[in-house]
Amino acid sequence: MGKVKVLLITGRSMRQGVGKESGKASQKYFESVAFCEIHPKDLEKLGIKPGANVKVSTKSGSIVVKAMPASTIDEEGKIFIPYGPYVSLLVDAETASSGMPTFKGLEAYIEPALEEKILNIEELVKKYYRGK
Amino acid sequence: MELIIKNGIVYDPLNGVKGEAMDIYVKDGKIVEKADGSKAQVIDATNMLVLPGGVDMHTHFAGPKVNLARMLRPEDHYKDPQRKRGVRRCGTGYSIPSVFTTGYWYAEMGFTLAFEAANPPLKMMHVQDELNDTPLIDKGAYPVFGNNWYVMESLSKGKIEECAAYIAWVLSAIKGYAIKVVDPGSVEEWKWGKGQIGDMDKQVENFGITPKEIVRGLAKVAKLLNLPHHLHIHTNMLGNPGNSEVTLETMKAVKDLVTNGELLIHMAHLQFHSYGGKEKDWNSFRSGSEEIMKYINKNPYVSFDMGQIAFTDTTTMTADGPFEYNLYEITKNKWMNADIEFETGSGIVPIEYKRDNFVHSIMWAVGLELALLSKDLWRVALSTDHPNGAPLTFYPRVISWLMSKKARERVLKLIPSSARSKTLLGSIDREFNFEEIAIITRASPAKLLGLKEKGHLGIGADADIAIYDINPKALDPERDYRKIRKAFRFAKYTIKDGKIVYKDNEIIEHFIAKTYWVNPHIREDLYNYINSELERNFDKYYTVKISNYKIPEGYLVKSKRIDIITKL
Amino acid sequence: MREIKLSLKEPFIPPLDCSVINTDNFYQNSLEEIKALKIWRGNREVSLEDVFSIHEENISEQGDIKIYIEGDLSKARRIGQGMSFGEIIIKGNYGLYLGAHMKGGKITVYGDCGSWVGVEMEGGFIEVKGNVGDYLASSYRGTTKGMKGGTILVNGNCGVEACGWMSGGIVKVMGNSGIFPGIHMKGGIIYVKGDCAGRAGANMIAGRVIINGKVDDILPSFKIEEVRGSVKVGDEKIEGPFYVFVGDLSDEGDGRLFVHVNNNPHLKKYEEYIP
Amino acid sequence: MKEYRDILCPVCGCLCDDIEVNVENNSIVKVQNACAMGASKFLNFSKERLKNPLMRKNGELVPCSLNEAIDHISRALVKAEFPVIYGFALSSCEAIKVGIELAEEIGAVIDNQTTVCHGPGVQGLQDIGQVSCTLGEVKHRADLIIYWGSNPQDAHPRHFERYSLLPEGRFRGGKKDRKLVVVDVRKTATARMADFYIRIEQGKDFELISALRALLRFEDIEQEQVAGIPKEKVEELAEMMRSCEYGVIFFGQGLTQTIGKDRNGDNLFALVRDLNKFTKFLVMPIRGHYNVTGSNEVLTWQTGFPFGVDLSKGYPWYNPGDTTVVDIFRRGENDLTLVVGSDPLAHLPRRATMHILEHPLFTIDPSMSLTAMASNVVIPSAFYGLEAEGTAYRMDGVALPLKKIVEPPEGILPDEEILRRILEKVKEIRGK
């Protein structure tokens, strides 16, 4: 148990692509972006099972998402979260004057967050963007 | 709306007017015999030069490769920002101006018609998009066919009619104006990484046809289709030492097809094809203009545009993919390539023509020599092959070089003496007068394009008129070449479709003028045959559907369709 | 000597294009004319006076011109653009394009600067007491002409792509450098006293990139040439020893990359390749 | 029931134009030929959508009239000193033109999604150039296909089938005649199909490209490993590239969003350029949204620059890092944001976008997005390619016609018309 240091990769996935076409407020979209692919060995290190909630943190922020078994991550020490509002909380806004933030290869930490809830999209907007 | 241009000094070569002070009447966008003086707007053009609107028959200003060049070169734009002012939209130059700026620059120079010279049919919707956005000039586009699979296959089987029907189908489907050929055969081979074909009798790999056969076949097709403009060709070996032989061979290849003294072949940007010397030996590079012009002067079936260069930083762009690769190898500048499935290719390389460069300075002389050695200016058009030889804003400079030996000598003095000795220019005394300038910038290109309402100021012509603030009677172009330059760069008035669009350094109207295209009518059985062949095979050839390849006439903001009765 | 002092009246939201603030321009104008100079605040043209309070002091016959500017200038751009003489002193953090196309004179910033310091600079001297952003002494997009001449001294760190397309002049960074110092370099020298994040000298054709601190790795397109005792940066001699690499071979380059031996024991593996 | 053929799919940059759609009672009941993403859009687009303009009053978004919304936005635009207009990758070229005119009129920065997808590739192109082609060329000729940091099986599901690996071309008979190489940090669905999968160390693309380029110049590599790959394998890849007849690299955001960014594209284009000494080799970015290419094209032909264009001073200026949205947002320089068919709150770093909430934020979008949820005014728009026609550009620059196959809900206009009304209103206000 404890934190594991990883490289965070973000990108497209078919589910996210299908999910976004169903509408950003849809459950399908939520399910397609609020998760994190983790290598089985890293799950083991964290002492958690697939489906558990994990907290992912970078120097820019942290967010709780669902841990999923890896389908594309083929080595430990790497995690994948699809493009979307969850990973956007973790991405650095610096672009090295290129206009492009670094979406791939962010230094991140994962830790179990079994007690914490995953925000839905509306809650996320309220908490981070347009809180009343 | 009516307009009277009073007392200008008019040159209208097509109607034999040579510097007479006269009035011109305009009504509803046309030139008329008389207008109602009480209602008309009057421009006092006393002591001013009045010409028909300028016609640019070979320029690259819109479409996929032009836009790729724009994208490639932010540095070209940084140095030439164009501010928004009144109706004038903002934009950028310098050698690849944005669309609004292109239209304004033509208008500033008194040009009212320009033909985009090389376009892949598959990307013609992009071309039409940009033409739809280019203000104040009439325009049209030449799709390229010289490396098209259907063309090569039908011609290799000797099926001229089928090839003609196919081209008629394409021109009509995508709204093109003429048949353009670029480096026949070579571009297909370039798609396998091979270089330009210099042997006109060599078979193109996989297609069993030679470049010469492609040229001959397409010249026949243009005749069969009765197209208003004859075959427009950028022949093989562009830019290479000793290429004048290939150029002569290309012209000779179609000579026997002349039946009635007609024009048969237009040699595009001839400067780039008129070099002496030995292939690949740049030290042997010399002007080949004399032999080229000897042939053209004797053979009235050939016309050409100059492809003049000027010493500046500009951008080369052509469907001639293998040539651009060569140019990259020579300059090591940045290089774009864009091959187009089934049809053609293209490449882009920026270049700076330098006065102290042996090759560049000879190229500069060659372009001027071609025009100055011509005995029939009705087969010559001024061009810089914008922006290949120089940006279009250099036309006034080219005019001044043609009109003033002194202006030429100033440059000749500055080029390397080793280069000077490889040219004829120093020995040519000819200086064009205003009538001759009016021919090569207006009357001749309009005639070569087969546009009867363009390039002149006779009754019924389109009211496209340029008024320049110089008095041809009081000016000595030899001495005052700088005034010539200035006057032709910024007209006093430019009138398009009877409206004053530019006056005293201000763009005062922004509208989209006509887009010309041809609609050749062919026999129904032939049309049906081609249509079903294409429908059957389109998915094999292309990655788009045939219905999405066609462009409806309504897509053009202002369509000018020319229906043609063909020989098919 | 004219001394003109500008202090920022209040913070602002949009970027401020200050290209008129340069010594050549001020020198030709009276104080009243200077106050009336137009600058761009976002999409509005306002007078210099609207944004800065402006004073002129200490006029003597000798010397030329000094401009003092103070305030939070982190959204200001293009101060000292194209200047050819005199001096500008900025107290506070500063934004983008400091001394762009500068030809001569001196600019000193007591604070941090953003990106494109000395972009396409031709001559003169820039000193930044704090850190600078990316593209130090570099070029604009698509332009293959970076800094041509002059000297830049950065007391702090620099960001990525310092000295891109540089062809002449000297740049010294006393702190650390981001990735790609000397990218596409064609001449000139960059000296980084601290560490470099990597990819030093990428695509360089000629010139020198000198890293005194630690470098994680050398690009595979460089090959080692020798170990040298010291290297010169202008008239300053930097003591080594240095590994000297030649590159970038992927561009048939003949640039030199100097990396300090003592601070990079992990590069010892290269010694076996020394010809 | 109406049956439509040759319909364009308005989802990804593949812009497949062979979709068949059945429409009954103004509703799509059947879709053929589309991938899962496309089918999802055709069948679901009308479900979660906005039907009314919304305006924030007392902290809540409440319905308002279209005129009220346009009036509010226009007044704010006129007042703004540094507005940003962002989006357009899911719009038509005709709408983009109006967007540019509006930006010019009010002195705004106009940027599109290129900035966070293939912007770095464009910057690389501006240094080196790019050897490229249309997709049909690949279909007819390619015998070596490399996907580098791109995963079409997930993001462009029909890319293999229509354009690269599988189609039968004139000179190649499909998969049997082609070799597939995938360079990625993850074993993606695409990588699983590869004949040669190269798992590259995250963030080391530049090193691998440099090594390949040096090998092409017959230099030796003085390292045992490059980018986590044994030297022998790198040499094998170089040889494969050099000896193919016709190679093509499709690169994706694995390259553009990784450390090195524009220089990764720069070096990759140089690699492909160099390969043309030996054989024919080309490179093409795999573009994401269906008309992100079109938004580059239109912006380029009207202003000279493809994205991140600052028109605040009355002429176009471009410099990514200065004039791009993430940087402007992060520095907190803009005092108004107008979003057209994009969702920056969902996809841009929060550390940048949090600043735009301090100022007016307006969204034009067919459906509810995160950005719309947080906006001051939201105007619903019609879906291009479904409810409105227009032009879009495929990833290789082929322009194609988006078609209208169903009627939009009552009162819902396409972006082009909404923007035109805003432009007219802005002109009217300024005229006074």
Side-chain angles (χ1 to χ4, degrees):
Chain A
M1 284 275 274
K3 281 188 187 183
V4 172
K5 188 177 170 184
V6 288
L7 275 178
L8 163 60
I9 319 277
T10 171
R12 252 176 234 299
S13 77
M14 173 75 91
R15 279 181 71 209
Q16 172 256 348
V18 172
K20 86 179 152 51
E21 300 305 344
S22 305
K24 289 280 169 64
S26 68
Q27 181 68 16
K28 214 170 177 179
Y29 179 66
F30 168 75
E31 283 169 8
S32 74
V33 289
F35 74 87
C36 167
E37 250 189 53
I38 304 175
H39 196 267
K41 285 201 176 146
D42 289 322
L43 283 175
E44 218 170 274
K45 276 185 216 159
L46 291 167
I48 54 168
K49 293 212 165 71
N53 289 0
V54 287
K55 185 170 173 179
V56 186
S57 317
T58 64
K59 67 174 187 180
S60 303
S62 63
I63 188 74
V64 177
V65 289
K66 193 182 278 285
M68 301 282 265
S71 72
T72 66
I73 295 293
D74 55 347
E75 62 181 335
E76 53 190 306
K78 258 187 226 166
I79 60 170
F80 174 78
I81 306 179
Y83 291 146
Y86 297 87
V87 84
S88 291
L89 299 170
L90 306 177
V91 176
D92 190 357
E94 277 297 332
T95 74
S97 297
S98 69
M100 174 67 89
T102 304
F103 285 98
K104 320 266 186 194
L106 292 145
E107 200 172 276
Y109 293 88
I110 41 175
E111 57 193 302
L114 305 177
E115 306 298 310
E116 290 182 60
K117 187 175 165 289
I118 301 175
L119 299 175
N120 68 29
I121 301 274
E122 212 168 300
E123 288 163 345
L124 185 142
V125 173
K126 281 215 171 103
K127 177 163 180 192
Y128 290 102
Y129 296 104
R130 190 64 88 178
K132 265 189 288 184
Chain B
M1 157 135 180
E2 296 182 19
L3 189 65
I4 303 173
I5 299 160
K6 276 200 103 65
N7 204 30
I9 300 162
V10 178
Y11 285 87
D12 180 6
L14 270 165
N15 294 304
V17 180
K18 300 178 183 181
E20 292 163 35
M22 57 192 279
D23 299 345
I24 290 168
Y25 301 97
V26 172
K27 190 177 178 183
D28 299 331
K30 293 277 179 188
I31 294 187
V32 292
E33 210 154 341
K34 195 79 191 166
D36 179 354
S38 64
K39 278 194 292 183
Q41 187 180 354
V42 178
I43 294 173
D44 180 3
T46 307
N47 291 334
M48 289 187 201
L49 172 67
V50 177
L51 297 180
V55 178
D56 193 350
M57 72 178 293
H58 190 106
T59 162
H60 303 267
F61 67 98
K65 71 182 177 318
V66 179
N67 218 32
L68 270 182
R70 291 190 190 106
M71 201 178 292
L72 177 70
R73 299 204 67 193
E75 77 280 13
D76 188 68
H77 315 319
Y78 286 151
K79 66 183 178 193
D80 198 7
Q82 299 284 319
R83 272 174 202 283
K84 174 180 165 61
R85 198 167 68 214
V87 300
R88 187 181 182 126
R89 300 279 308 271
C90 71
T92 46
Y94 162 85
S95 68
I96 331 139
S98 52
V99 282
F100 305 139
T101 302
T102 301
Y104 302 146
W105 282 358
Y106 271 121
E108 284 172 359
M109 297 196 302
F111 272 66
T112 50
L113 176 66
F115 273 83
E116 163 54 54
N119 304 281
L122 175 63
K123 290 193 173 183
M124 201 63 177
M125 191 178 269
H126 181 169
V127 179
Q128 300 295 358
D129 269 348
E130 290 197 32
L131 295 182
N132 275 344
D133 251 9
T134 307
L136 303 181
I137 51 169
D138 289 333
K139 61 261 153 180
Y142 312 148
V144 283
F145 289 100
N147 293 276
N148 181 299
W149 289 357
Y150 204 112
V151 168
M152 290 192 289
E153 279 171 352
S154 53
L155 290 181
S156 75
K157 291 179 201 137
K159 296 182 174 173
I160 295 284
E161 283 208 347
E162 183 183 325
C163 181
Y166 166 71
I167 287 179
W169 186 96
V170 174
L171 287 172
S172 170
I174 58 154
K175 317 294 176 256
Y177 188 77
I179 302 174
K180 173 79 185 292
V181 183
V182 176
D183 203 349
S186 297
V187 181
E188 169 55 33
E189 290 206 348
W190 162 243
K191 290 177 175 180
W192 292 114
K194 302 201 170 77
Q196 289 164 291
I197 303 179
D199 176 356
M200 297 295 283
D201 293 316
K202 176 193 168 300
Q203 291 216 332
V204 181
E205 202 174 296
N206 299 317
F207 287 89
I209 188 168
T210 67
K212 197 182 270 175
E213 287 162 356
I214 296 172
V215 176
R216 279 179 65 80
L218 288 172
K220 289 179 197 164
V221 166
K223 275 183 78 166
L224 276 176
L225 293 180
N226 265 337
L227 294 179
H229 182 42
H230 41 297
L231 185 65
H232 197 107
I233 175 162
H234 153 153
T235 192
N236 301 57
M237 295 307 273
L238 180 140
N240 284 276
N243 65 7
S244 60
E245 279 176 34
V246 172
T247 308
L248 286 166
E249 215 182 327
T250 301
M251 293 189 284
K252 286 174 188 166
V254 296
K255 185 169 182 173
D256 64 307
L257 303 177
V258 179
T259 45
N260 206 7
E262 75 276 24
L263 280 159
L264 206 63
I265 189 168
H266 178 85
M267 305 300 290
H269 38 70
L270 190 57
Q271 179 276 128
F272 290 106
H273 303 273
S274 304
Y275 308 140
K278 285 199 294 288
E279 195 184 333
K280 294 197 173 98
D281 178 4
W282 288 97
N283 290 322
S284 72
F285 193 76
R286 60 171 177 80
S287 168
S289 63
E290 199 171 14
E291 36 197 329
I292 294 285
M293 285 317 297
K294 208 192 253 171
Y295 188 84
I296 290 179
N297 282 334
K298 271 197 223 143
N299 287 282
Y301 67 93
V302 184
S303 64
F304 74 92
D305 61 88
M306 291 165 68
Q308 178 61 34
I309 74 153
F311 303 110
T312 187
D313 179 2
T314 191
T315 312
T316 68
M317 56 180 75
T318 163
D320 197 339
F323 162 74
E324 293 289 2
Y325 180 66
N326 291 353
L327 192 60
Y328 152 70
E329 290 263 272
I330 294 167
T331 62
K332 298 291 171 196
N333 288 341
K334 35 191 183 181
W335 166 48
M336 296 285 274
N337 179 79
D339 294 342
I340 311 284
E341 64 209 54
F342 194 76
E343 296 172 348
T344 179
S346 70
I348 303 158
V349 175
I351 192 165
E352 188 176 358
Y353 293 116
K354 291 182 174 154
R355 210 156 39 194
D356 55 9
N357 179 302
F358 172 75
V359 171
H360 298 170
S361 52
I362 293 172
M363 290 167 74
W364 170 79
V366 170
L368 296 170
E369 287 166 13
L370 293 170
L372 293 166
L373 291 174
S374 169
K375 291 186 177 153
D376 178 8
L377 291 181
W378 290 94
R379 291 186 281 124
V380 183
L382 180 141
S383 82
T384 64
D385 189 15
H386 161 78
N388 284 295
L392 61 97
T393 47
F394 278 75
Y395 298 169
R397 200 170 279 259
V398 180
I399 289 172
S400 73
W401 286 326
L402 292 171
M403 292 187 89
S404 166
K405 186 162 198 253
K406 200 170 153 191
R408 299 197 291 265
E409 272 169 355
R410 272 186 60 88
V411 182
L412 271 172
K413 256 186 237 156
L414 297 168
I415 69 174
S417 56
S418 58
R420 219 177 303 141
S421 64
K422 303 290 174 72
T423 69
L424 300 171
L425 192 61
S427 66
I428 301 176
D429 293 330
R430 185 174 184 186
E431 290 177 329
F432 282 7
N433 57 33
F434 283 99
E435 187 197 5
E436 287 168 319
I437 293 298
I439 292 172
I440 63 164
T441 58
R442 273 90 178 152
S444 158
K447 205 172 164 212
L448 297 175
L449 288 163
L451 293 168
K452 297 201 165 44
E453 68 279 25
K454 296 291 181 190
H456 70 105
L457 298 171
I459 310 303
D462 283 354
D464 300 344
I465 307 163
I467 305 174
Y468 300 100
D469 196 4
I470 34 171
N471 182 349
K473 304 285 173 199
L475 195 82
D476 175 7
E478 153 95 38
R479 206 184 57 235
D480 296 328
Y481 60 88
R482 285 201 177 85
K483 283 187 189 155
I484 297 278
R485 265 177 214 172
K486 197 167 158 252
F488 277 108
R489 177 64 187 85
F490 297 102
K492 178 79 177 168
Y493 295 90
T494 301
I495 293 147
K496 175 82 200 78
D497 292 331
K499 297 186 192 100
I500 300 173
V501 294
Y502 173 77
K503 181 191 170 190
D504 292 331
N505 291 314
E506 291 292 340
I507 295 291
I508 49 187
E509 288 223 40
H510 176 117
F511 60 84
I512 303 304
K514 297 184 281 291
T515 298
Y516 281 86
W517 61 282
V518 293
N519 185 33
H521 293 265
I522 57 173
R523 284 197 324 264
E524 205 180 333
D525 62 313
L526 209 47
Y527 180 85
N528 290 341
Y529 170 72
I530 285 298
N531 205 45
S532 66
E533 277 295 292
L534 287 172
E535 277 184 354
R536 205 155 49 82
N537 293 314
F538 216 80
D539 292 352
K540 263 196 251 166
Y541 299 154
Y542 286 104
T543 49
V544 300
K545 288 283 177 187
I546 190 166
S547 70
N548 292 322
Y549 179 90
K550 294 182 195 167
I551 302 170
E553 185 171 5
Y555 198 77
L556 280 51
V557 170
K558 201 166 178 195
S559 162
K560 176 73 183 172
R561 188 183 68 232
I562 299 181
D563 285 292
I564 297 171
I565 314 292
T566 67
K567 297 189 184 109
L568 289 182
Chain C
M1 165 73 83
R2 291 178 74 185
E3 286 193 0
I4 299 164
K5 293 196 169 163
L6 282 69
S7 60
L8 195 65
K9 284 180 171 168
E10 54 188 10
F12 49 91
I13 291 166
L16 201 64
D17 186 315
C18 301
S19 50
V20 297
I21 305 181
N22 68 61
T23 46
D24 297 50
N25 207 9
F26 277 26
Y27 193 71
Q28 297 161 8
N29 288 301
S30 71
L31 182 62
E32 288 315 304
E33 285 166 338
I34 289 169
K35 284 179 175 175
L37 286 172
K38 293 284 180 209
I39 64 169
W40 287 94
R41 187 181 68 202
N43 57 22
R44 306 293 151 101
E45 267 193 303
V46 297
S47 313
L48 201 53
E49 197 184 23
D50 295 341
V51 183
F52 294 98
S53 27
I54 306 167
H55 304 282
E56 180 158 4
E57 291 168 19
N58 211 3
I59 301 166
S60 72
E61 289 302 309
Q62 268 144 28
D64 35 40
I65 186 163
K66 261 187 190 176
I67 304 173
Y68 293 90
I69 313 168
E70 56 178 28
D72 177 9
L73 295 158
S74 53
K75 286 179 183 173
R77 286 142 159 73
R78 302 196 174 281
I79 288 180
Q81 176 160 309
M83 69 187 257
S84 61
F85 69 102
E87 195 175 347
I88 294 179
I89 294 133
I90 298 173
K91 288 183 176 158
N93 294 335
Y94 171 84
L96 309 179
Y97 313 110
L98 180 79
H101 320 284
M102 184 174 174
K103 293 178 186 67
K106 184 181 174 189
I107 302 178
T108 312
V109 180
Y110 292 87
D112 295 339
C113 277
S115 299
W116 291 285
V117 168
V119 57
E120 298 186 11
M121 178 173 174
E122 290 170 30
F125 181 63
I126 295 178
E127 179 173 1
V128 179
K129 299 290 182 185
N131 304 320
V132 300
D134 310 305
Y135 294 96
L136 168 69
S138 189
S139 67
Y140 296 116
R141 307 286 171 197
T143 314
T144 51
K145 292 172 181 124
M147 180 174 176
K148 291 186 199 72
T151 305
I152 299 180
L153 172 61
V154 176
N155 288 287
N157 306 325
C158 75
V160 307
E161 302 198 29
C163 303
W165 298 103
M166 179 186 195
S167 59
I170 297 173
V171 172
K172 293 183 195 178
V173 178
M174 305 316 280
N176 305 323
S177 156
I179 52 172
F180 292 126
I183 181 142
H184 285 296
M185 197 173 185
K186 297 184 286 191
I189 299 173
I190 173 167
Y191 168 63
V192 178
K193 191 170 181 198
D195 302 338
C196 168
R199 298 178 183 170
N203 307 111
M204 74 191 295
I205 304 288
R208 287 176 180 189
V209 178
I210 302 156
I211 312 290
N212 196 59
K214 188 171 175 294
V215 179
D216 276 350
D217 216 343
I218 304 298
L219 280 174
S221 49
F222 277 73
K223 67 179 175 199
I224 194 158
E225 189 178 50
E226 58 176 329
V227 175
R228 216 185 277 181
S230 66
V231 62
K232 283 193 93 178
V233 178
D235 45 17
E236 191 185 350
K237 191 173 162 191
I238 313 284
E239 287 302 331
F242 289 99
Y243 291 121
V244 183
F245 295 89
V246 185
D248 186 327
L249 303 176
S250 61
D251 284 281
E252 290 171 356
D254 192 28
R256 292 293 182 280
L257 169 62
F258 293 77
V259 180
H260 204 287
V261 173
N262 302 349
N263 297 328
N264 292 284
H266 61 291
L267 297 182
K268 200 168 173 57
K269 60 185 180 190
Y270 278 97
E271 284 177 17
E272 63 176 285
Y273 293 104
I274 294 177
Chain D
M1 193 175 73
K2 272 195 200 155
E3 289 176 28
Y4 294 92
R5 299 168 70 88
D6 302 354
I7 296 298
L8 267 67
C9 173
V11 177
C12 82
C14 280
L15 210 60
C16 303
D17 73 334
D18 61 344
I19 313 297
E20 297 177 13
V21 182
N22 291 4
V23 175
E24 218 174 280
N25 298 327
N26 203 40
S27 157
I28 293 173
V29 291
K30 190 177 167 197
V31 182
Q32 277 174 288
N33 294 346
C35 69
M37 281 194 305
S40 176
K41 178 152 191 180
F42 279 104
L43 296 171
N44 298 320
F45 77 96
S46 61
K47 287 180 187 154
E48 302 256 353
R49 69 178 307 173
L50 287 159
K51 299 237 165 87
N52 250 311
L54 303 169
M55 191 179 290
R56 190 169 295 275
K57 287 174 183 166
N58 302 321
E60 291 288 343
L61 279 176
V62 294
C64 69
S65 76
L66 182 60
N67 283 342
E68 204 183 337
I70 284 175
D71 193 70
H72 185 97
I73 293 175
S74 307
R75 281 177 202 287
L77 283 172
V78 169
K79 244 170 59 187
E81 288 197 357
F82 202 61
V84 166
I85 304 181
Y86 175 68
F88 298 107
L90 299 172
S91 213
S92 75
C93 292
E94 291 76 7
I96 296 159
K97 290 182 188 180
V98 187
I100 297 169
E101 194 174 353
L102 178 64
E104 188 178 329
E105 181 66 31
I106 59 171
V109 170
I110 181 163
D111 199 359
N112 52 53
Q113 285 92 323
T114 306
T115 190
V116 286
C117 77
H118 276 281
V122 172
Q123 291 158 51
L125 173 162
Q126 290 171 340
D127 275 344
I128 302 295
Q130 181 187 320
V131 187
S132 198
C133 61
T134 60
L135 289 160
E137 278 291 301
V138 178
K139 153 175 140 172
H140 288 305
R141 298 177 206 266
D143 61 343
L144 176 63
I145 294 168
I146 301 177
Y147 286 93
W148 193 312
S150 61
N151 176 16
Q153 288 298 79
D154 270 296
H156 303 81
R158 298 183 70 207
H159 201 268
F160 272 2
E161 163 202 335
R162 278 174 62 81
Y163 306 125
S164 66
L165 192 64
L166 306 176
E168 195 157 318
R170 181 177 183 125
F171 306 107
R172 305 283 172 213
K175 192 171 189 305
K176 65 176 172 35
D177 290 344
R178 314 183 201 263
K179 193 181 278 178
L180 176 67
V181 175
V182 175
V183 182
D184 210 314
V185 297
R186 297 186 289 141
K187 193 149 192 178
T188 60
T190 307
R192 277 195 283 272
M193 291 188 63
D195 298 307
F196 198 69
Y197 163 50
I198 294 177
R199 193 178 71 200
I200 187 173
E201 192 182 328
Q202 166 59 42
K204 294 287 183 191
D205 304 77
F206 191 93
E207 281 75 5
L208 178 57
I209 299 167
S210 284
L212 289 168
R213 291 189 62 209
L215 288 169
L216 288 182
R217 294 186 192 280
F218 304 104
E219 298 286 353
D220 193 19
I221 302 293
E222 296 176 352
Q223 295 180 5
E224 294 312 308
Q225 276 203 345
V226 177
I229 304 155
K231 186 173 155 182
E232 298 69 42
K233 208 168 172 187
V234 178
E235 284 167 349
E236 194 184 338
L237 178 61
E239 187 47 38
M240 209 183 285
M241 293 167 98
R242 186 164 44 207
S243 60
C244 74
E245 266 191 321
Y246 191 105
V248 60
I249 297 176
F250 292 106
F251 70 100
Q253 295 171 355
L255 211 62
T256 62
Q257 297 181 334
T258 296
I259 182 170
K261 295 175 190 152
D262 47 320
R263 294 304 168 195
N264 296 338
D266 174 329
N267 219 16
L268 185 75
F269 296 156
L271 167 66
V272 172
R273 180 195 66 197
D274 296 350
L275 278 161
N276 278 277
K277 266 195 174 41
F278 305 97
T279 184
K280 185 78 181 205
F281 224 100
L282 304 108
V283 59
M284 197 189 297
I286 290 215
R287 303 301 301 266
H289 289 312
Y290 73 83
N291 199 22
V292 69
T293 305
S295 53
N296 293 156
E297 296 282 359
V298 181
L299 205 48
T300 303
W301 80 59
Q302 290 204 350
T303 72
F305 305 117
F307 64 100
V309 182
D310 178 358
L311 295 165
S312 66
K313 287 180 281 212
Y315 61 86
W317 163 256
Y318 152 90
N319 193 12
D322 171 3
T323 59
T324 35
V325 284
V326 176
D327 303 276
I328 291 171
F329 291 172
R330 185 191 65 244
R331 292 189 296 254
E333 288 175 338
N334 63 317
D335 57 356
L336 184 151
T337 313
L338 172 61
V339 176
V340 183
S342 176
D343 195 358
L345 293 199
H347 293 122
L348 304 187
R350 173 178 174 261
R351 293 271 170 203
T353 50
M354 56 195 273
H355 295 287
I356 67 178
L357 299 166
E358 294 158 16
H359 305 286
L361 171 63
F362 307 127
T363 300
I364 299 171
D365 203 304
S367 15
M368 205 54 173
S369 65
L370 272 78
T371 309
M373 288 176 205
S375 287
N376 299 80
V377 179
V378 184
I379 299 182
S381 56
F383 277 102
Y384 279 103
L386 297 161
E387 300 168 338
E389 58 179 30
T391 309
Y393 283 65
R394 200 168 70 178
M395 61 174 76
D396 57 351
V398 174
L400 291 163
L402 297 161
K403 288 160 203 167
K404 179 176 175 171
I405 45 180
V406 292
E407 286 298 326
E410 206 185 322
I412 304 285
L413 304 171
D415 294 344
E416 182 186 357
E417 186 56 31
I418 297 165
L419 290 165
R420 181 160 288 128
R421 290 194 188 189
I422 294 173
L423 175 63
E424 277 162 16
K425 189 78 195 172
V426 162
K427 284 183 175 168
E428 183 193 315
I429 297 166
R430 299 184 98 192
K432 273 175 195 162

